[in-house]
Amino acid sequence: MKQEELQKELEGMAQKDYKKFSASLLPGVKNLLGIRLPQLRKMAKEMADEDWKYYLSWENARYFEEVMLQGMILGYAKAPVTEILEYTERFIPKIDNWSVNDSFCTTFRSADKYPGEVWDFLMKYQDSHQEFEVRMVAVMLMSHYLKPDYIQKVFEVLTSLDVTEYYASMAVAWAFATAWAKFPDETRAWLAAHPIEKKTYRRMLQKCIESRRIKDEDKQWMRMERSLDKSGI
């Protein structure tokens, strides 16, 4: 399939109502067609079983969904991890919104198959000041490394990330909130000893309060903690 053929196929899958809904969640993204994620995932799995490197070589995407597909294809592709990471490094600069970032990260199976190699790769971005590179690291760690063998290392990295930009801060807050659901004692102890940036901390508290996986007694403490500061999220 040529890129022009894929674009025509995507145009035929577009849903006007879903485009309007998606656009409301993605301010600044102007090239949306409006295609639901399950449809894109199905396509990505099929394309990953074909010549996935060919699809990843495409540049100058016309539509948001083309970049989304590339990220998913990387997640589903079966190849030596060195090859996957080589193409991942080329893909990361294309990420310019939370939706592409998060779908790419949560689909990235190589992190589960080759955790050590992917961890080392991610650490190349640990000191980044680019908003979506930071979000990429945080969401990757949240999605694949909240495990006993990695949890303390994850805390260290999350605490070190540059959360100046909104979507970076939200990702770190989300990651800590997810960690709290899985490792409540360890997460609370870490944050008590290693305070994180104020807005990010408040965003984390809010996400925890909204979570169904956090204990009610923890949520009560969080509401009290949040009430101590009225500066806003």
mmCIF file of all heavy atoms in Angstrom, residues 159-204:
data_model
loop_
_atom_site.group_PDB
_atom_site.id
_atom_site.type_symbol
_atom_site.label_atom_id
_atom_site.label_comp_id
_atom_site.label_asym_id
_atom_site.label_seq_id
_atom_site.Cartn_x
_atom_site.Cartn_y
_atom_site.Cartn_z
ATOM 1 N N THR A 159 10.752 11.840 39.448
ATOM 2 C CA THR A 159 11.056 13.010 40.273
ATOM 3 C C THR A 159 12.045 13.937 39.587
ATOM 4 O O THR A 159 12.032 15.155 39.826
ATOM 5 C CB THR A 159 11.617 12.554 41.634
ATOM 6 O OG1 THR A 159 10.668 11.679 42.260
ATOM 7 C CG2 THR A 159 11.877 13.736 42.560
ATOM 8 N N SER A 160 12.861 13.386 38.704
ATOM 9 C CA SER A 160 13.899 14.185 38.040
ATOM 10 C C SER A 160 13.424 14.877 36.771
ATOM 11 O O SER A 160 14.112 15.762 36.251
ATOM 12 C CB SER A 160 15.095 13.286 37.686
ATOM 13 O OG SER A 160 14.795 12.447 36.575
ATOM 14 N N LEU A 161 12.265 14.481 36.247
ATOM 15 C CA LEU A 161 11.830 14.997 34.946
ATOM 16 C C LEU A 161 11.439 16.470 35.017
ATOM 17 O O LEU A 161 10.974 16.968 36.038
ATOM 18 C CB LEU A 161 10.644 14.180 34.427
ATOM 19 C CG LEU A 161 10.935 12.709 34.073
ATOM 20 C CD1 LEU A 161 9.642 11.996 33.680
ATOM 21 C CD2 LEU A 161 11.962 12.617 32.945
ATOM 22 N N ASP A 162 11.617 17.150 33.893
ATOM 23 C CA ASP A 162 11.260 18.563 33.775
ATOM 24 C C ASP A 162 9.753 18.668 33.555
ATOM 25 O O ASP A 162 9.238 18.303 32.496
ATOM 26 C CB ASP A 162 12.015 19.187 32.589
ATOM 27 C CG ASP A 162 11.707 20.664 32.404
ATOM 28 O OD1 ASP A 162 10.826 21.195 33.117
ATOM 29 O OD2 ASP A 162 12.339 21.290 31.532
ATOM 30 N N VAL A 163 9.043 19.181 34.546
ATOM 31 C CA VAL A 163 7.582 19.260 34.473
ATOM 32 C C VAL A 163 7.108 20.701 34.251
ATOM 33 O O VAL A 163 5.987 21.061 34.620
ATOM 34 C CB VAL A 163 6.932 18.668 35.743
ATOM 35 C CG1 VAL A 163 7.151 17.173 35.809
ATOM 36 C CG2 VAL A 163 7.476 19.345 37.005
ATOM 37 N N THR A 164 7.946 21.493 33.634
ATOM 38 C CA THR A 164 7.594 22.894 33.380
ATOM 39 C C THR A 164 6.355 23.000 32.499
ATOM 40 O O THR A 164 5.467 23.836 32.742
ATOM 41 C CB THR A 164 8.763 23.620 32.712
ATOM 42 O OG1 THR A 164 9.926 23.503 33.538
ATOM 43 C CG2 THR A 164 8.432 25.093 32.494
ATOM 44 N N GLU A 165 6.276 22.150 31.467
ATOM 45 C CA GLU A 165 5.174 22.227 30.514
ATOM 46 C C GLU A 165 3.986 21.384 30.987
ATOM 47 O O GLU A 165 4.152 20.362 31.656
ATOM 48 C CB GLU A 165 5.632 21.754 29.137
ATOM 49 C CG GLU A 165 6.791 22.562 28.552
ATOM 50 C CD GLU A 165 6.417 24.003 28.269
ATOM 51 O OE1 GLU A 165 5.202 24.280 28.085
ATOM 52 O OE2 GLU A 165 7.320 24.851 28.225
ATOM 53 N N TYR A 166 2.814 21.809 30.605
ATOM 54 C CA TYR A 166 1.567 21.227 31.122
ATOM 55 C C TYR A 166 1.469 19.719 30.897
ATOM 56 O O TYR A 166 1.188 18.953 31.831
ATOM 57 C CB TYR A 166 0.370 21.926 30.477
ATOM 58 C CG TYR A 166 -0.963 21.312 30.852
ATOM 59 C CD1 TYR A 166 -1.539 21.558 32.093
ATOM 60 C CD2 TYR A 166 -1.638 20.470 29.965
ATOM 61 C CE1 TYR A 166 -2.758 20.988 32.449
ATOM 62 C CE2 TYR A 166 -2.851 19.891 30.305
ATOM 63 C CZ TYR A 166 -3.407 20.158 31.547
ATOM 64 O OH TYR A 166 -4.596 19.588 31.894
ATOM 65 N N TYR A 167 1.663 19.264 29.649
ATOM 66 C CA TYR A 167 1.446 17.852 29.359
ATOM 67 C C TYR A 167 2.537 16.973 29.967
ATOM 68 O O TYR A 167 2.300 15.782 30.231
ATOM 69 C CB TYR A 167 1.331 17.614 27.852
ATOM 70 C CG TYR A 167 0.027 18.133 27.296
ATOM 71 C CD1 TYR A 167 -0.019 19.279 26.504
ATOM 72 C CD2 TYR A 167 -1.170 17.493 27.582
ATOM 73 C CE1 TYR A 167 -1.222 19.759 26.012
ATOM 74 C CE2 TYR A 167 -2.383 17.966 27.095
ATOM 75 C CZ TYR A 167 -2.403 19.103 26.307
ATOM 76 O OH TYR A 167 -3.594 19.577 25.839
ATOM 77 N N ALA A 168 3.684 17.524 30.225
ATOM 78 C CA ALA A 168 4.723 16.795 30.952
ATOM 79 C C ALA A 168 4.321 16.652 32.416
ATOM 80 O O ALA A 168 4.399 15.567 32.998
ATOM 81 C CB ALA A 168 6.063 17.513 30.826
ATOM 82 N N SER A 169 3.873 17.742 33.010
ATOM 83 C CA SER A 169 3.438 17.719 34.405
ATOM 84 C C SER A 169 2.281 16.752 34.610
ATOM 85 O O SER A 169 2.268 15.954 35.568
ATOM 86 C CB SER A 169 3.031 19.126 34.850
ATOM 87 O OG SER A 169 2.445 19.110 36.138
ATOM 88 N N MET A 170 1.306 16.787 33.707
ATOM 89 C CA MET A 170 0.156 15.897 33.840
ATOM 90 C C MET A 170 0.565 14.440 33.737
ATOM 91 O O MET A 170 0.003 13.573 34.426
ATOM 92 C CB MET A 170 -0.881 16.232 32.772
ATOM 93 C CG MET A 170 -1.616 17.547 33.012
ATOM 94 S SD MET A 170 -2.589 17.573 34.555
ATOM 95 C CE MET A 170 -3.862 16.369 34.186
ATOM 96 N N ALA A 171 1.528 14.132 32.888
ATOM 97 C CA ALA A 171 1.976 12.754 32.734
ATOM 98 C C ALA A 171 2.672 12.250 33.997
ATOM 99 O O ALA A 171 2.452 11.106 34.431
ATOM 100 C CB ALA A 171 2.915 12.634 31.539
ATOM 101 N N VAL A 172 3.503 13.082 34.600
ATOM 102 C CA VAL A 172 4.176 12.686 35.836
ATOM 103 C C VAL A 172 3.154 12.515 36.955
ATOM 104 O O VAL A 172 3.228 11.566 37.751
ATOM 105 C CB VAL A 172 5.265 13.711 36.209
ATOM 106 C CG1 VAL A 172 5.824 13.433 37.606
ATOM 107 C CG2 VAL A 172 6.388 13.686 35.171
ATOM 108 N N ALA A 173 2.178 13.409 37.018
ATOM 109 C CA ALA A 173 1.109 13.273 38.013
ATOM 110 C C ALA A 173 0.340 11.970 37.817
ATOM 111 O O ALA A 173 0.040 11.250 38.785
ATOM 112 C CB ALA A 173 0.161 14.470 37.911
ATOM 113 N N TRP A 174 0.029 11.654 36.585
ATOM 114 C CA TRP A 174 -0.697 10.430 36.240
ATOM 115 C C TRP A 174 0.128 9.195 36.630
ATOM 116 O O TRP A 174 -0.403 8.235 37.199
ATOM 117 C CB TRP A 174 -0.979 10.451 34.744
ATOM 118 C CG TRP A 174 -1.797 9.315 34.202
ATOM 119 C CD1 TRP A 174 -2.628 8.472 34.891
ATOM 120 C CD2 TRP A 174 -1.861 8.930 32.830
ATOM 121 N NE1 TRP A 174 -3.198 7.570 34.027
ATOM 122 C CE2 TRP A 174 -2.758 7.823 32.762
ATOM 123 C CE3 TRP A 174 -1.273 9.410 31.659
ATOM 124 C CZ2 TRP A 174 -3.060 7.186 31.549
ATOM 125 C CZ3 TRP A 174 -1.569 8.783 30.454
ATOM 126 C CH2 TRP A 174 -2.455 7.682 30.403
ATOM 127 N N ALA A 175 1.425 9.249 36.335
ATOM 128 C CA ALA A 175 2.304 8.121 36.655
ATOM 129 C C ALA A 175 2.383 7.889 38.169
ATOM 130 O O ALA A 175 2.306 6.744 38.642
ATOM 131 C CB ALA A 175 3.691 8.353 36.074
ATOM 132 N N PHE A 176 2.531 8.964 38.935
ATOM 133 C CA PHE A 176 2.580 8.808 40.392
ATOM 134 C C PHE A 176 1.232 8.318 40.942
ATOM 135 O O PHE A 176 1.189 7.521 41.886
ATOM 136 C CB PHE A 176 2.983 10.118 41.060
ATOM 137 C CG PHE A 176 4.460 10.273 41.272
ATOM 138 C CD1 PHE A 176 5.163 11.309 40.667
ATOM 139 C CD2 PHE A 176 5.168 9.389 42.076
ATOM 140 C CE1 PHE A 176 6.540 11.452 40.860
ATOM 141 C CE2 PHE A 176 6.524 9.520 42.283
ATOM 142 C CZ PHE A 176 7.220 10.555 41.671
ATOM 143 N N ALA A 177 0.138 8.803 40.371
ATOM 144 C CA ALA A 177 -1.173 8.352 40.824
ATOM 145 C C ALA A 177 -1.371 6.866 40.541
ATOM 146 O O ALA A 177 -1.930 6.126 41.370
ATOM 147 C CB ALA A 177 -2.272 9.167 40.142
ATOM 148 N N THR A 178 -0.914 6.415 39.387
ATOM 149 C CA THR A 178 -1.006 4.995 39.047
ATOM 150 C C THR A 178 -0.101 4.174 39.952
ATOM 151 O O THR A 178 -0.466 3.071 40.385
ATOM 152 C CB THR A 178 -0.633 4.773 37.572
ATOM 153 O OG1 THR A 178 -1.454 5.606 36.743
ATOM 154 C CG2 THR A 178 -0.841 3.327 37.161
ATOM 155 N N ALA A 179 1.077 4.708 40.238
ATOM 156 C CA ALA A 179 1.984 4.025 41.167
ATOM 157 C C ALA A 179 1.340 3.902 42.544
ATOM 158 O O ALA A 179 1.479 2.873 43.222
ATOM 159 C CB ALA A 179 3.303 4.784 41.256
ATOM 160 N N TRP A 180 0.629 4.955 42.974
ATOM 161 C CA TRP A 180 -0.024 4.914 44.282
ATOM 162 C C TRP A 180 -1.061 3.791 44.322
ATOM 163 O O TRP A 180 -1.218 3.100 45.333
ATOM 164 C CB TRP A 180 -0.685 6.256 44.585
ATOM 165 C CG TRP A 180 -1.066 6.421 46.031
ATOM 166 C CD1 TRP A 180 -1.900 5.635 46.765
ATOM 167 C CD2 TRP A 180 -0.600 7.442 46.928
ATOM 168 N NE1 TRP A 180 -2.005 6.097 48.048
ATOM 169 C CE2 TRP A 180 -1.206 7.210 48.184
ATOM 170 C CE3 TRP A 180 0.254 8.534 46.781
ATOM 171 C CZ2 TRP A 180 -0.992 8.023 49.290
ATOM 172 C CZ3 TRP A 180 0.477 9.348 47.883
ATOM 173 C CH2 TRP A 180 -0.138 9.098 49.124
ATOM 174 N N ALA A 181 -1.769 3.589 43.214
ATOM 175 C CA ALA A 181 -2.775 2.528 43.171
ATOM 176 C C ALA A 181 -2.131 1.153 43.295
ATOM 177 O O ALA A 181 -2.728 0.232 43.888
ATOM 178 C CB ALA A 181 -3.569 2.625 41.871
ATOM 179 N N LYS A 182 -0.931 0.999 42.757
ATOM 180 C CA LYS A 182 -0.263 -0.303 42.770
ATOM 181 C C LYS A 182 0.661 -0.483 43.974
ATOM 182 O O LYS A 182 0.779 -1.593 44.514
ATOM 183 C CB LYS A 182 0.548 -0.468 41.478
ATOM 184 C CG LYS A 182 -0.303 -0.570 40.221
ATOM 185 C CD LYS A 182 0.555 -0.875 39.008
ATOM 186 C CE LYS A 182 -0.294 -1.092 37.772
ATOM 187 N NZ LYS A 182 0.518 -1.490 36.594
ATOM 188 N N PHE A 183 1.326 0.575 44.364
ATOM 189 C CA PHE A 183 2.292 0.524 45.468
ATOM 190 C C PHE A 183 2.041 1.694 46.419
ATOM 191 O O PHE A 183 2.841 2.628 46.491
ATOM 192 C CB PHE A 183 3.727 0.601 44.932
ATOM 193 C CG PHE A 183 4.114 -0.505 43.997
ATOM 194 C CD1 PHE A 183 3.976 -0.362 42.628
ATOM 195 C CD2 PHE A 183 4.616 -1.706 44.487
ATOM 196 C CE1 PHE A 183 4.338 -1.383 41.756
ATOM 197 C CE2 PHE A 183 4.981 -2.738 43.632
ATOM 198 C CZ PHE A 183 4.839 -2.576 42.256
ATOM 199 N N PRO A 184 0.918 1.691 47.122
ATOM 200 C CA PRO A 184 0.548 2.861 47.927
ATOM 201 C C PRO A 184 1.559 3.219 49.007
ATOM 202 O O PRO A 184 1.890 4.401 49.183
ATOM 203 C CB PRO A 184 -0.807 2.460 48.528
ATOM 204 C CG PRO A 184 -0.861 0.971 48.432
ATOM 205 C CD PRO A 184 -0.095 0.630 47.204
ATOM 206 N N ASP A 185 2.044 2.237 49.735
ATOM 207 C CA ASP A 185 2.981 2.528 50.830
ATOM 208 C C ASP A 185 4.297 3.076 50.291
ATOM 209 O O ASP A 185 4.834 4.065 50.823
ATOM 210 C CB ASP A 185 3.242 1.267 51.657
ATOM 211 C CG ASP A 185 1.996 0.780 52.387
ATOM 212 O OD1 ASP A 185 1.083 1.601 52.601
ATOM 213 O OD2 ASP A 185 1.947 -0.407 52.731
ATOM 214 N N GLU A 186 4.806 2.441 49.258
ATOM 215 C CA GLU A 186 6.078 2.878 48.681
ATOM 216 C C GLU A 186 5.960 4.276 48.059
ATOM 217 O O GLU A 186 6.873 5.109 48.200
ATOM 218 C CB GLU A 186 6.550 1.885 47.614
ATOM 219 C CG GLU A 186 6.927 0.515 48.151
ATOM 220 C CD GLU A 186 5.735 -0.435 48.242
ATOM 221 O OE1 GLU A 186 4.572 0.040 48.186
ATOM 222 O OE2 GLU A 186 5.963 -1.650 48.379
ATOM 223 N N THR A 187 4.843 4.537 47.387
ATOM 224 C CA THR A 187 4.666 5.829 46.734
ATOM 225 C C THR A 187 4.535 6.949 47.761
ATOM 226 O O THR A 187 5.166 8.011 47.622
ATOM 227 C CB THR A 187 3.424 5.803 45.820
ATOM 228 O OG1 THR A 187 3.527 4.703 44.913
ATOM 229 C CG2 THR A 187 3.314 7.102 45.034
ATOM 230 N N ARG A 188 3.739 6.711 48.788
ATOM 231 C CA ARG A 188 3.566 7.736 49.820
ATOM 232 C C ARG A 188 4.889 8.016 50.525
ATOM 233 O O ARG A 188 5.232 9.185 50.775
ATOM 234 C CB ARG A 188 2.510 7.295 50.825
ATOM 235 C CG ARG A 188 2.201 8.337 51.890
ATOM 236 C CD ARG A 188 0.988 7.944 52.691
ATOM 237 N NE ARG A 188 0.642 8.958 53.666
ATOM 238 C CZ ARG A 188 -0.487 8.950 54.376
ATOM 239 N NH1 ARG A 188 -1.376 7.987 54.205
ATOM 240 N NH2 ARG A 188 -0.729 9.901 55.254
ATOM 241 N N ALA A 189 5.637 6.975 50.823
ATOM 242 C CA ALA A 189 6.926 7.146 51.495
ATOM 243 C C ALA A 189 7.900 7.913 50.607
ATOM 244 O O ALA A 189 8.639 8.791 51.089
ATOM 245 C CB ALA A 189 7.508 5.788 51.880
ATOM 246 N N TRP A 190 7.906 7.598 49.326
ATOM 247 C CA TRP A 190 8.823 8.303 48.420
ATOM 248 C C TRP A 190 8.488 9.792 48.354
ATOM 249 O O TRP A 190 9.371 10.648 48.457
ATOM 250 C CB TRP A 190 8.766 7.702 47.021
ATOM 251 C CG TRP A 190 9.631 8.465 46.048
ATOM 252 C CD1 TRP A 190 9.253 9.533 45.284
ATOM 253 C CD2 TRP A 190 11.023 8.272 45.807
ATOM 254 N NE1 TRP A 190 10.318 10.009 44.556
ATOM 255 C CE2 TRP A 190 11.423 9.243 44.857
ATOM 256 C CE3 TRP A 190 11.969 7.367 46.286
ATOM 257 C CZ2 TRP A 190 12.725 9.340 44.390
ATOM 258 C CZ3 TRP A 190 13.265 7.454 45.805
ATOM 259 C CH2 TRP A 190 13.640 8.430 44.875
ATOM 260 N N LEU A 191 7.220 10.102 48.176
ATOM 261 C CA LEU A 191 6.822 11.500 48.038
ATOM 262 C C LEU A 191 7.037 12.294 49.324
ATOM 263 O O LEU A 191 7.320 13.492 49.276
ATOM 264 C CB LEU A 191 5.360 11.585 47.595
ATOM 265 C CG LEU A 191 5.085 11.104 46.166
ATOM 266 C CD1 LEU A 191 3.586 11.014 45.909
ATOM 267 C CD2 LEU A 191 5.738 12.028 45.147
ATOM 268 N N ALA A 192 6.920 11.624 50.455
ATOM 269 C CA ALA A 192 7.182 12.300 51.727
ATOM 270 C C ALA A 192 8.650 12.691 51.847
ATOM 271 O O ALA A 192 8.986 13.744 52.405
ATOM 272 C CB ALA A 192 6.782 11.400 52.887
ATOM 273 N N ALA A 193 9.511 11.851 51.305
ATOM 274 C CA ALA A 193 10.952 12.100 51.403
ATOM 275 C C ALA A 193 11.507 12.884 50.227
ATOM 276 O O ALA A 193 12.584 13.489 50.325
ATOM 277 C CB ALA A 193 11.700 10.768 51.520
ATOM 278 N N HIS A 194 10.759 12.890 49.101
ATOM 279 C CA HIS A 194 11.241 13.543 47.884
ATOM 280 C C HIS A 194 10.098 14.376 47.286
ATOM 281 O O HIS A 194 9.445 13.943 46.328
ATOM 282 C CB HIS A 194 11.717 12.512 46.856
ATOM 283 C CG HIS A 194 12.728 11.546 47.382
ATOM 284 N ND1 HIS A 194 12.361 10.400 48.068
ATOM 285 C CD2 HIS A 194 14.085 11.551 47.332
ATOM 286 C CE1 HIS A 194 13.450 9.733 48.399
ATOM 287 N NE2 HIS A 194 14.508 10.403 47.983
ATOM 288 N N PRO A 195 9.805 15.548 47.828
ATOM 289 C CA PRO A 195 8.707 16.373 47.319
ATOM 290 C C PRO A 195 8.881 16.703 45.831
ATOM 291 O O PRO A 195 9.991 16.990 45.383
ATOM 292 C CB PRO A 195 8.798 17.639 48.173
ATOM 293 C CG PRO A 195 9.516 17.202 49.415
ATOM 294 C CD PRO A 195 10.497 16.164 48.969
ATOM 295 N N ILE A 196 7.780 16.634 45.105
ATOM 296 C CA ILE A 196 7.820 16.985 43.689
ATOM 297 C C ILE A 196 7.233 18.382 43.485
ATOM 298 O O ILE A 196 6.682 18.982 44.415
ATOM 299 C CB ILE A 196 7.071 15.948 42.833
ATOM 300 C CG1 ILE A 196 5.583 15.865 43.253
ATOM 301 C CG2 ILE A 196 7.741 14.581 42.943
ATOM 302 C CD1 ILE A 196 4.748 14.953 42.353
ATOM 303 N N GLU A 197 7.349 18.872 42.296
ATOM 304 C CA GLU A 197 6.890 20.221 41.961
ATOM 305 C C GLU A 197 5.427 20.409 42.372
ATOM 306 O O GLU A 197 4.596 19.515 42.251
ATOM 307 C CB GLU A 197 7.070 20.441 40.452
ATOM 308 C CG GLU A 197 6.829 21.853 39.978
ATOM 309 C CD GLU A 197 5.383 22.078 39.576
ATOM 310 O OE1 GLU A 197 4.701 21.094 39.218
ATOM 311 O OE2 GLU A 197 4.939 23.235 39.639
ATOM 312 N N LYS A 198 5.103 21.592 42.891
ATOM 313 C CA LYS A 198 3.844 21.839 43.580
ATOM 314 C C LYS A 198 2.604 21.564 42.719
ATOM 315 O O LYS A 198 1.683 20.846 43.145
ATOM 316 C CB LYS A 198 3.823 23.290 44.062
ATOM 317 C CG LYS A 198 2.693 23.643 45.007
ATOM 318 C CD LYS A 198 2.889 25.067 45.522
ATOM 319 C CE LYS A 198 1.830 25.447 46.521
ATOM 320 N NZ LYS A 198 2.027 26.831 47.023
ATOM 321 N N LYS A 199 2.564 22.091 41.504
ATOM 322 C CA LYS A 199 1.389 21.894 40.660
ATOM 323 C C LYS A 199 1.241 20.432 40.276
ATOM 324 O O LYS A 199 0.126 19.895 40.214
ATOM 325 C CB LYS A 199 1.470 22.776 39.415
ATOM 326 C CG LYS A 199 1.209 24.245 39.673
ATOM 327 C CD LYS A 199 1.168 25.019 38.367
ATOM 328 C CE LYS A 199 0.846 26.489 38.626
ATOM 329 N NZ LYS A 199 0.797 27.277 37.357
ATOM 330 N N THR A 200 2.368 19.784 40.001
ATOM 331 C CA THR A 200 2.330 18.376 39.639
ATOM 332 C C THR A 200 1.813 17.539 40.802
ATOM 333 O O THR A 200 1.037 16.597 40.620
ATOM 334 C CB THR A 200 3.731 17.901 39.220
ATOM 335 O OG1 THR A 200 4.201 18.720 38.137
ATOM 336 C CG2 THR A 200 3.711 16.445 38.772
ATOM 337 N N TYR A 201 2.219 17.908 42.011
ATOM 338 C CA TYR A 201 1.752 17.197 43.198
ATOM 339 C C TYR A 201 0.241 17.334 43.356
ATOM 340 O O TYR A 201 -0.458 16.354 43.627
ATOM 341 C CB TYR A 201 2.467 17.748 44.432
ATOM 342 C CG TYR A 201 2.108 17.055 45.726
ATOM 343 C CD1 TYR A 201 2.432 15.723 45.939
ATOM 344 C CD2 TYR A 201 1.448 17.748 46.744
ATOM 345 C CE1 TYR A 201 2.095 15.079 47.130
ATOM 346 C CE2 TYR A 201 1.123 17.122 47.946
ATOM 347 C CZ TYR A 201 1.451 15.785 48.126
ATOM 348 O OH TYR A 201 1.129 15.162 49.307
ATOM 349 N N ARG A 202 -0.277 18.541 43.162
ATOM 350 C CA ARG A 202 -1.712 18.752 43.281
ATOM 351 C C ARG A 202 -2.465 18.001 42.186
ATOM 352 O O ARG A 202 -3.549 17.464 42.433
ATOM 353 C CB ARG A 202 -2.036 20.247 43.217
ATOM 354 C CG ARG A 202 -1.632 21.005 44.478
ATOM 355 C CD ARG A 202 -1.995 22.490 44.373
ATOM 356 N NE ARG A 202 -3.426 22.678 44.134
ATOM 357 C CZ ARG A 202 -4.360 22.629 45.077
ATOM 358 N NH1 ARG A 202 -4.022 22.368 46.324
ATOM 359 N NH2 ARG A 202 -5.615 22.818 44.776
ATOM 360 N N ARG A 203 -1.900 17.968 41.007
ATOM 361 C CA ARG A 203 -2.535 17.205 39.926
ATOM 362 C C ARG A 203 -2.548 15.713 40.249
ATOM 363 O O ARG A 203 -3.515 15.008 39.939
ATOM 364 C CB ARG A 203 -1.815 17.478 38.612
ATOM 365 C CG ARG A 203 -2.080 18.873 38.068
ATOM 366 C CD ARG A 203 -1.081 19.301 37.008
ATOM 367 N NE ARG A 203 -1.458 20.618 36.481
ATOM 368 C CZ ARG A 203 -0.617 21.459 35.886
ATOM 369 N NH1 ARG A 203 0.672 21.119 35.742
ATOM 370 N NH2 ARG A 203 -1.035 22.619 35.448
ATOM 371 N N MET A 204 -1.500 15.236 40.865
ATOM 372 C CA MET A 204 -1.448 13.840 41.281
ATOM 373 C C MET A 204 -2.523 13.548 42.318
ATOM 374 O O MET A 204 -3.233 12.534 42.236
ATOM 375 C CB MET A 204 -0.069 13.511 41.862
ATOM 376 C CG MET A 204 0.083 12.049 42.249
ATOM 377 S SD MET A 204 1.118 11.801 43.702
ATOM 378 C CE MET A 204 0.087 12.467 45.005
#
